[in-house]
Amino acid sequence: MIHVRALPPGSAVRAVLGVFLSLAAWSISSTVIAQVLQPDLTISKTHSGNFTQGSTGNNYTVTVTNSGAGDKNAGQSVSVIDAPPSGLTITAMSGAGWTCTVLPTCTRTDVLAASAAYPAISVTVSVTSNATSPQVNSITVTTAQTESNSANNTATDSTAIVQPNPLIFCDGFETGGTCP
């Protein structure tokens, strides 16, 4: 605001200019946007070959990877839970750093850096004698920490189940005394 005051007549030419600056209360607000980098745990499950009805010692390999931009923090639990179909029975689960005392679950609480993977879990199964083919085995990973995408926490692996080779019995009677 500018105030101008006139001088009385006959005064030397002088001008007085009074400038008064009145500042209204300025309100400055800002919004800070912080991008929180979150982990994104993903899981995969694989096996080799076919499994045979009635067999034991069949193995799956399970891998948990942090596909997110942030680390999975220490102290936040991670659980891997296997959900075998009716034709498979889990007989063991193990992996370096994993605690697998109550089947079908393994847990751990250490850091998992972005783009890194925990050591693999080996899942050993037996196949029932009447298992149908294929057997689709499902596995899930969960964490107590917030993830950027929890929709990719389950994986499946379809396993072909074959019948055992039939025993060939040969007493030689049908073949004239010789067996193949």
Side-chain angles (χ1 to χ4, degrees):
M1 181 182 300
I2 299 175
H3 295 279
V4 178
R5 191 170 35 163
L7 296 175
S11 302
V13 178
R14 296 183 283 167
V16 175
L17 178 63
V19 178
F20 299 94
L21 180 59
S22 175
L23 294 177
W26 287 72
S27 174
I28 300 174
S29 67
S30 62
T31 302
V32 177
I33 299 175
Q35 181 179 7
V36 177
L37 301 178
Q38 295 178 330
D40 176 20
L41 299 187
T42 58
I43 192 163
S44 66
K45 185 172 197 172
T46 60
H47 75 282
S48 296
N50 299 328
F51 293 176
T52 303
Q53 288 176 331
S55 64
T56 60
N58 304 287
N59 289 304
Y60 289 98
T61 300
V62 176
T63 305
V64 174
T65 303
N66 181 355
S67 300
D71 295 348
K72 197 292 292 169
N73 297 329
Q76 298 291 331
S77 67
V78 172
S79 296
V80 170
I81 302 170
D82 199 321
S86 62
L88 301 178
T89 301
I90 296 174
T91 58
M93 291 176 76
S94 64
W98 290 96
T99 301
C100 307
T101 53
V102 180
L103 297 181
T105 302
C106 292
T107 60
R108 67 187 306 145
T109 58
D110 53 330
V111 171
L112 182 58
S115 301
Y118 284 130
I121 299 171
S122 177
V123 179
T124 305
V125 299
S126 60
V127 182
T128 63
S129 60
N130 62 346
T132 58
S133 185
Q135 292 286 304
V136 179
N137 197 341
S138 178
I139 193 126
T140 301
V141 62
T142 60
T143 182
Q145 187 172 340
T146 301
E147 290 187 73
S148 61
N149 178 9
S150 61
N152 57 4
N153 289 13
T154 299
T156 58
D157 187 16
S158 182
T159 307
I161 306 297
V162 297
Q163 294 181 345
N165 291 331
L167 296 176
I168 300 175
F169 177 75
C170 176
D171 62 5
F173 179 75
E174 292 87 13
T175 60
T178 60
C179 291

